[in-house]
Amino acid sequence: MIILSNEPRVFPKVVSQYRSLALDCSPHSIYTLLLSFSCSATSMASHLCPVTLSPAPQISLHPVSAYYRRGLFSAARFNEPSRGTLILLFSNKFFGPTMSTFSKFSCSNSLTNPLVETGVLFSVFQEIGLGYEETQMLFANHPDLAIISLDTLRHRVRSLQSFVGFDRLALLNLVVKRPNVLAATEVDDLICFLRDEFEGQINQAQIKRLLSNTEPRFFVGFDQKVKLLLNRGIPREKIIHVLNNVNLTKALCYRSVDEINRTIDFLDPFDGINLIIRRPAIINYDLDNQLIPRTKFLTELSGGDVDSTGKVLRKLPAILSYRVEHVEGHVEFLRSFAGLNDREIFRIIMVFPSIVSASRERKLRPRIEFLKDCGLNSDEIFKFLIKAPLFLGHSFHENIAYKLVFLVKIGYEYRTKDLAMAIGSTTRISCENLQKVIDLFLSYGLSCEDIVVMSKKHPQVLQYNHTSLGKKMKYLIEEMDRDIDELLAFPAFLGYKLDDRIKQRFEEKISKRGTRMSLNKLLTVSSERFARKGKKASEKLMQ
């Protein structure tokens, strides 16, 4: 009996022994013969000659992928077998009346000659990019390929090329990595389902990853799991988005229907279906080891407030992608360095959940240290971060540093609470908008000192859109006939809506009362009180 081992160096010994039996055969032909029929080595030895080979050489075939890594498989190697080699492989001289392994292939009813069958078979694999020797090794390592018909094989190859979009090299890599994609019926079922149900809307790259990373046996029930997602509430128009943005192997193939149901049930209190639609990768995560511990940590931090936890998840579903240890590290940092308690930390997370993605050392520490240097205590730091949470996320060099320099230049003192409040008020606008706001004030005759005075009274003036500010200031001077200096007394004027508040009240006051009123009284009183005053003024005029 000939036993094949994984040591290629023993092949010369075997070749020399077999050449003694067939002197007209080349070593290459005998090498090919051994690889092709390693699965039935005992039968081969008995047909070759009743000669006992001692010691028995140990030769076994590596998996195809191993040959590929060693360079034996190459898209550039398309050597056709010589006619002499084929005759050698299928001649009675070596095999007598016994049919060879390759004659088992049901290539076509019209192909009855084993040589013709084999030639057609090799041509199909040559189209993929496999040479003669590589094809023989492929079938030697995966005998299940021998039971599929040539028509089935061709259909599978065409499906992978046309529907999935595999080019020649990609298909070669797939076959080398997972040869059973050519034989498994589950592959046809998967392709038919995706084609018929979604009409090519699933990204080809997504299907390629699925086929490359998943054993075909895990495709069983794929259609049922997709339909489960539809039945649980994901709209049909959104299912494409979900399938294109998940790891299909993890989320569906490796999960049972019950596991998927459990995951959706767990997420239900947090508006789970919308979470999945917004962040499909959520269903990639393991329920028991990832989703439950991460959600539990946030819920405990909130003091058991499930609704507030849901608000955090809905605001940033990606927060579930962070390990508990990671979020816990941020919480502990805010406790120890900023002096915040859990209630305050959770409120900051509610306002700005992306804080968990900010580097503790590169972003959080220097920014909180700046607030401390400006004289803010723990309570003031909390209030600052609630009002200006983006301060923790902006780039220092491209945003914060530029604004700090600009504010210091117009008169703010460095390392003061006023400067901290000013930088907080500018976090929602760009550096370009801040500069245009300052230029606008200067163009109307206000000095830098005036701007600082206004912004200290009403810090929001620095964060308003410069175009909107320009319209209000123009209306104030040209239509209301007011002096620009009135803004110094009441800068909050710039925060009211021009059409819905400023124009409406000014025009009504002029038409019914005819008296001059301060900007503060004109705009700050409630709508009900303003209406009552207007009614009384009208009655006096009528008397």
Side-chain angles (χ1 to χ4, degrees), residues 135-173:
T135 303
Q136 288 181 306
M137 283 189 273
L138 181 68
F139 276 88
N141 283 279
H142 299 277
D144 54 327
L145 295 176
I147 64 175
I148 62 174
S149 69
L150 180 61
D151 288 340
T152 301
L153 180 62
R154 276 179 166 166
H155 174 73
R156 181 68 55 79
V157 170
R158 297 294 181 267
S159 295
L160 293 172
Q161 290 174 328
S162 60
F163 177 72
V164 185
F166 280 103
D167 58 25
R168 192 177 189 184
L169 181 59
L171 186 56
L172 170 64
N173 291 331

Side-chain angles (χ1 to χ4, degrees), residues 447-474:
S447 65
C448 289
E449 184 179 0
D450 293 334
I451 298 171
V452 172
V453 170
M454 282 198 307
S455 61
K456 286 182 178 180
K457 286 184 178 180
H458 188 70
Q460 292 90 330
V461 297
L462 296 176
Q463 72 183 31
Y464 295 140
N465 179 272
H466 71 279
T467 303
S468 175
L469 286 183
K471 292 178 180 179
K472 294 172 186 178
M473 294 174 72
K474 182 178 180 180

Side-chain angles (χ1 to χ4, degrees), residues 30-133:
I30 296 173
Y31 174 78
T32 302
L33 177 69
L34 292 173
L35 291 176
S36 302
F37 299 97
S38 61
C39 296
S40 54
T42 304
S43 174
M44 180 172 65
S46 63
H47 283 295
L48 285 171
C49 185
V51 176
T52 302
L53 302 177
S54 180
Q58 302 292 312
I59 308 171
S60 72
L61 294 174
H62 290 277
V64 176
S65 58
Y67 282 98
Y68 185 74
R69 290 193 297 271
R70 292 187 177 207
L72 296 176
F73 278 35
S74 171
R77 297 182 61 190
F78 302 129
N79 297 327
E80 289 284 356
S82 65
R83 184 173 183 276
T85 302
L86 287 174
I87 293 176
L88 171 68
L89 288 173
F90 297 102
S91 64
N92 289 336
K93 176 177 180 181
F94 279 92
F95 298 101
T98 304
M99 185 177 293
S100 70
T101 302
F102 286 111
S103 67
K104 297 178 183 178
F105 302 153
S106 303
C107 298
S108 173
N109 292 334
S110 61
L111 298 176
T112 57
N113 189 328
L115 293 180
V116 177
E117 291 181 3
T118 306
V120 175
L121 179 65
F122 279 115
S123 70
V124 173
F125 280 92
Q126 188 177 22
E127 292 177 11
I128 299 175
L130 292 176
Y132 174 60
E133 295 177 5

Side-chain angles (χ1 to χ4, degrees), residues 11 36 163 218 248 327 329:
F11 273 95
S36 302
F163 177 72
F218 291 109
L248 292 173
V327 180

Side-chain angles (χ1 to χ4, degrees), residues 172-186:
L172 170 64
N173 291 331
L174 175 66
V175 171
V176 167
K177 183 178 181 181
R178 299 197 182 280
N180 52 352
V181 299
L182 298 176
T185 58
E186 295 89 350

